């Protein structure tokens, strides 16, 4: 399907002449006197010398892009590397939402940054709440109604597996939303946790649906949250528009180096073992929670966490904090009264969590 993506973008971004940085407009070889850099670094340590800290890095590092394209099975022209998915969400909102006019749609409870990015941009947030009584299933009928009736919706944010409920969106459900959206908006599918489940990535649907944008990250299964590397995977027309807005050098030399190490062949082997361990830990913790009298409900989900409802979520958070264990309170989110989210940590961390929970349950 061919689609005019630019028609959805803010006209001033389309009309703007994008900034051309020194590194994006000339090769980085020969005598480099075009970027007002220092000719050498002051850091003597050879490990740092290797990174050429005195030079601006490549705006979209070629080797990392090639590796990520291999990893995701997609053309390099469909990738944009960003400072975490957080930046991808921000760029999409800034490019596609006119302040005071356009809107984004989300299905709460969901990741909080969609709303924050929209609010910063002055875009309205249309929430289609998930159905608490039905395992937090998305109300697809209502979502499709919102998309077809609100002409100002530019971005539909979906998450699979979702944070904090852990549920997946099926291929059929996703394609139904894409069909209902047509050329009116982009459908942004955030797959931050996809490696933890068996479901295939929607990246393979990009050729069929140019309005689909997939967000991936190295922060979760790749165990590299500190690197700050997220990836927008989308039609080259979407990537080109985002590139007009992204900072000239978003990834530092250290981040590029670390991202390459994080997805190297050796790390990939460890990643497979880690994902298996998380899934095992998740199943074990879920079984344990089912036996806790104070647990009212637990959602095992398909990611690296479990959502749990208890009578007093904040009390449980404080109880764990007093024992040096931090868990996340979701009680203030609509529909999540008494809910806390437990990340699947290492076996030792989970053992500590279980003993804190056991002691909590044994209180008089
Ligand atoms: C659904 C979802 N998307 C994106 C992010 C942010 O990822 P990144 O670290 O790549 O910015 C998170 C972080 O928790 C998340 O839960």
């Amino acid at each position: 399907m061919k689609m005019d993506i630019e028609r959805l973008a803010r006209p001033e971004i389309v009309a703007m002449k994008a900034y051309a940085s020194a590194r994006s407009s000339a090769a980085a070889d020969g005598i480099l006197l075009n970027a007002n850099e220092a000719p050498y670094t002051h850091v003597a340590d050879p490990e740092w010398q290797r990174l050429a800290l005195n030079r601006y890095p490549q705006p979209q590092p070629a080797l990392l892009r090639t590796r990520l394209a291999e990893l995701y099975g997609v053309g390099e022209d469909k990738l944009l590397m960003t400072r975490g998915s957080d930046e991808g969400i921000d760029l999409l909102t800034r490019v596609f939402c006119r302040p005071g006019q356009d809107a984004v749609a989300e299905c709460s409870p969901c990741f909080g940054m969609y709303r924050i990015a929209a609010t910063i941009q002055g875009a309205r947030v249309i929430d289609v709440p998930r159905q608490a009584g039905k395992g937090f299933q998305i109300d697809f009928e209502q979502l499709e109604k919102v998309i077809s009736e609100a002409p100002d919706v530019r971005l539909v944010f979906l998450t699979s597996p979702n944070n904090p409920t852990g549920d997946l969106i099926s291929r059929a459900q996703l394609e139904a939303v894409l069909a209902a959206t047509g050329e009116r908006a982009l459908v942004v599918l955030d797959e931050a946790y996809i490696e933890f489940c068996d479901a295939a990535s929607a990246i393979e649907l990009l050729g069929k649906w140019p309005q689909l944008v997939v967000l991936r990250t190295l922060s979760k299964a790749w165990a590299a949250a500190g690197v700050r590397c997220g990836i927008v995977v989308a039609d080259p027309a979407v990537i080109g528009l985002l590139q007009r807005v992204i900072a000239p050098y978003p990834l530092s030399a250290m981040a590029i180096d670390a991202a390459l190490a994080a997805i190297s062949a050796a790390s990939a082997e460890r990643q497979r073992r880690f994902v298996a361990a998380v899934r095992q830990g998740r199943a074990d913790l879920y079984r344990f929670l089912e036996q806790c009298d104070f647990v009212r409900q637990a959602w095992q989900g398909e990611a690296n966490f479990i959502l749990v409802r208890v009578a007093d979520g904040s009390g449980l958070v404080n109880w764990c904090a007093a024992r040096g264990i931090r868990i996340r309170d979701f009680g203030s989110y609509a529909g999540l009264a008494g809910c806390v989210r437990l990340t699947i940590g290492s076996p030792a961390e989970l053992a500590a969590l279980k003993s804190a929970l056991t002691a909590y349950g044994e209180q008089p």
Side-chain angles (χ1 to χ4, degrees), residues 193-270:
Y193 301 95
I194 187 86
E195 291 92 345
F196 293 110
C197 67
D198 293 325
S201 168
I203 287 175
E204 60 194 40
L205 293 179
L206 283 173
K208 184 171 171 195
W209 302 99
Q211 66 274 61
L212 174 64
V213 176
V214 178
L215 301 179
R216 301 290 295 262
T217 179
L218 303 191
S219 295
K220 308 297 177 184
W222 288 102
V227 175
R228 308 307 301 129
C229 183
I231 305 96
V232 181
V233 194
D235 188 280
V238 174
I239 300 296
L241 286 162
L242 300 184
Q243 267 184 311
R244 295 173 151 251
V245 173
I246 197 169
Y249 303 105
L251 303 180
S252 73
M254 292 82 86
I256 296 165
D257 206 45
L260 282 167
I263 59 167
S264 68
S267 301
E269 183 46 40
R270 281 189 213 112

Side-chain angles (χ1 to χ4, degrees), residues 161 165-168 193-194 196-198 282 300-305:
T165 54
D167 57 299
L168 282 173
Y193 301 95
I194 187 86
F196 293 110
C197 67
D198 293 325
R282 188 176 70 199
Q300 185 173 2
E302 304 273 352
N304 65 339
F305 53 79

Side-chain angles (χ1 to χ4, degrees), residues 154-207:
R154 285 289 189 272
L155 301 171
V156 179
F157 283 106
L158 299 175
T159 322
S160 183
N162 187 44
N163 176 11
T165 54
D167 57 299
L168 282 173
I169 296 174
S170 73
R171 183 58 56 89
Q173 287 165 331
L174 175 65
E175 293 208 72
V177 174
L178 286 159
T181 306
E183 302 199 359
R184 275 193 294 269
L186 298 182
V187 175
V188 183
L189 183 69
D190 187 339
E191 292 187 334
Y193 301 95
I194 187 86
E195 291 92 345
F196 293 110
C197 67
D198 293 325
S201 168
I203 287 175
E204 60 194 40
L205 293 179
L206 283 173

